[in-house]
Amino acid sequence: QVQLVESGGGLVQPGGSLRLSCAASGSILSINVMGWYRQAPGKERELVASITSGGSTKYADAVKGRFTISRDNAKKTVALQMNSLKPEDTAVYYCNANVVVVLPGAYRSLEVWGQGTLVTVSS
């Protein structure tokens, strides 16, 4: 069984910073793309940022220049540094990973989600 466990959410004032972390565990052979998504109340889940195993990154236009995604392949972790936070960044943030897992006699590709962590930006 593969799990993604997130940490680091909370309440922060506008202009402040937060750092989200996500750790993968289980019978993982490799992890391809890792990313962060968010879902605000009444809105669809959207991609915030993603990073490949080689370090190539992609950001939503709304967070470019403010958020930075990074990963440690050896530790199977991904982090999201969020600076200059705005009230519109308020959402539940989900970690996502495309992993290859080891099964008896086979490998399988899976998309895995974390349980989500709430980020609230408010004064």
Side-chain angles (χ1 to χ4, degrees):
Q1 184 177 0
V2 178
Q3 284 188 321
L4 298 178
V5 178
E6 300 133 336
S7 60
L11 173 65
V12 63
Q13 293 186 341
S17 298
L18 278 177
R19 183 177 178 85
L20 305 182
S21 298
C22 173
S25 63
S27 300
I28 298 172
L29 179 65
S30 63
I31 304 178
N32 299 318
V33 179
M34 302 186 81
W36 291 93
Y37 288 71
R38 68 185 181 186
Q39 187 167 19
K43 295 188 176 181
E44 293 186 353
R45 191 174 297 189
E46 62 177 0
L47 174 68
V48 176
S50 64
I51 184 168
T52 68
S53 57
S56 296
T57 58
K58 182 186 299 184
Y59 294 93
D61 288 342
V63 307
K64 283 180 181 177
R66 300 188 297 123
F67 291 10
T68 302
I69 190 170
S70 60
R71 67 187 279 176
D72 185 322
N73 290 330
K75 295 182 178 179
K76 300 184 179 67
T77 59
V78 63
L80 186 69
Q81 178 65 42
M82 304 184 294
N83 299 328
S84 302
L85 283 161
K86 304 175 181 180
E88 51 263 43
D89 294 318
T90 295
V92 177
Y93 284 71
Y94 297 90
C95 180
N96 173 275
N98 290 284
V99 306
V100 178
V101 298
V102 180
L103 298 176
Y107 303 128
R108 184 177 178 185
S109 295
L110 295 175
E111 182 179 30
V112 187
W113 291 90
Q115 79 283 0
T117 185
L118 178 62
V119 172
T120 302
V121 184
S122 175
S123 55

